[in-house]
Amino acid sequence: MSKYYYSALDIAAIISGFELGCKAETKMINRIWDGERYIISPKYANKKRKFILDVYYWMRYFYEKPILDKEFPIIQKDFEAMGSSFDLQQYTSDFTDLDLFFKNIRIRILYADGNDYVRIKLRSLLKHYGYKRRSKAIMRHIKTCMRVYKLIATQRGKIPCVLEDIDLDTMLSFRIKS
């Protein structure tokens, strides 16, 4: 269950994608703390200040990441000159995780742009996270994420659907359960 908690890194990755101003970021972090406390990592239990500081720490990283990524070729040359090496992909890859997608949906719907849904094709979702087909294991994981983050999937017309039974190219709308 611990992997389903929001970490400061998760919140920073989500909020930095919204490209908000400082006041709006602060307001959103406070609203998330107030509304999602039950699912924020237990290490922040009753430690709002630490949570906010950790979120800002990681947000600065995401904002500076393009600059840091540009410097890696120089660092790589320095390592090679010393006779060492490292896996560049490990340091420059984006922070992607299927769990983060569902965390992002919940935050976006409840605290961001005012829409009460997020739309995506099932095929696009699977492809974005490196899956080529919907195996039982991945569908079970998606269902668990939807249950934990209190989401439902609907088709056009707000018709609830079973993800295993729909066509991969069906446009889905994820919403918060009432």
Side-chain angles (χ1 to χ4, degrees), residues 15 23-36 48 51-52 56 111:
I15 293 175
K23 286 183 181 181
E25 286 175 351
T26 301
K27 185 177 178 181
M28 183 177 283
I29 293 169
N30 280 306
R31 290 178 61 211
I32 291 169
W33 173 263
D34 293 338
E36 303 293 305
K48 181 178 181 179
F51 173 73
I52 291 172
Y56 274 119
Y111 305 104

Side-chain angles (χ1 to χ4, degrees), residues 90-121:
Q90 179 181 348
Y91 296 95
T92 59
S93 63
D94 289 330
F95 183 82
T96 57
D97 188 17
L98 188 56
D99 299 343
L100 185 62
F101 173 79
F102 292 100
K103 292 173 183 179
N104 188 343
I105 287 176
R106 183 170 175 84
I107 297 296
R108 183 174 298 278
I109 291 170
L110 292 175
Y111 305 104
D113 55 18
N115 285 332
D116 66 342
Y117 63 91
V118 171
R119 295 181 64 194
I120 189 168
K121 288 183 180 179

Side-chain angles (χ1 to χ4, degrees), residues 57 100 164 172 178:
Y57 170 83
L100 185 62
E164 291 89 342
L172 297 172
S178 301

Side-chain angles (χ1 to χ4, degrees), residues 140-161:
R140 189 172 38 251
H141 183 72
I142 289 173
K143 282 181 160 183
T144 301
C145 288
M146 289 174 58
R147 182 180 42 78
V148 168
Y149 302 116
K150 299 179 178 153
L151 299 169
I152 58 169
T154 61
Q155 296 177 4
R156 185 168 297 219
K158 297 184 182 181
I159 300 167
C161 61

Side-chain angles (χ1 to χ4, degrees), residues 10-167:
D10 294 335
I11 299 300
I14 293 165
I15 293 175
S16 65
F18 296 147
E19 298 179 5
L20 303 171
C22 291
K23 286 183 181 181
E25 286 175 351
T26 301
K27 185 177 178 181
M28 183 177 283
I29 293 169
N30 280 306
R31 290 178 61 211
I32 291 169
W33 173 263
D34 293 338
E36 303 293 305
R37 224 152 140 203
Y38 73 96
I39 202 164
I40 290 175
S41 175
K43 86 179 206 176
Y44 297 111
N46 300 317
K47 297 178 184 173
K48 181 178 181 179
R49 184 176 189 278
K50 178 164 179 41
F51 173 73
I52 291 172
L53 290 174
D54 286 356
V55 169
Y56 274 119
Y57 170 83
W58 285 111
M59 285 175 63
R60 294 303 141 233
Y61 166 76
F62 283 110
Y63 291 141
E64 299 297 328
K65 189 175 184 319
I67 296 167
L68 296 171
D69 287 350
K70 286 180 185 176
E71 294 178 359
F72 265 92
I74 296 167
I75 294 169
Q76 189 175 21
K77 286 181 184 178
D78 289 345
F79 267 83
E80 288 171 2
M82 295 184 313
S84 299
S85 66
F86 64 94
D87 181 14
L88 184 63
Q89 184 64 28
Q90 179 181 348
Y91 296 95
T92 59
S93 63
D94 289 330
F95 183 82
T96 57
D97 188 17
L98 188 56
D99 299 343
L100 185 62
F101 173 79
F102 292 100
K103 292 173 183 179
N104 188 343
I105 287 176
R106 183 170 175 84
I107 297 296
R108 183 174 298 278
I109 291 170
L110 292 175
Y111 305 104
D113 55 18
N115 285 332
D116 66 342
Y117 63 91
V118 171
R119 295 181 64 194
I120 189 168
K121 288 183 180 179
L122 183 56
R123 182 183 308 275
S124 299
L125 172 62
L126 295 172
K127 184 178 178 182
H128 182 76
Y129 291 98
Y131 301 102
K132 295 183 179 174
R133 54 193 146 97
R134 59 178 153 193
S135 67
K136 287 185 181 188
I138 191 64
M139 296 312 293
R140 189 172 38 251
H141 183 72
I142 289 173
K143 282 181 160 183
T144 301
C145 288
M146 289 174 58
R147 182 180 42 78
V148 168
Y149 302 116
K150 299 179 178 153
L151 299 169
I152 58 169
T154 61
Q155 296 177 4
R156 185 168 297 219
K158 297 184 182 181
I159 300 167
C161 61
V162 177
L163 297 179
E164 291 89 342
D165 297 339
I166 63 170
D167 184 72

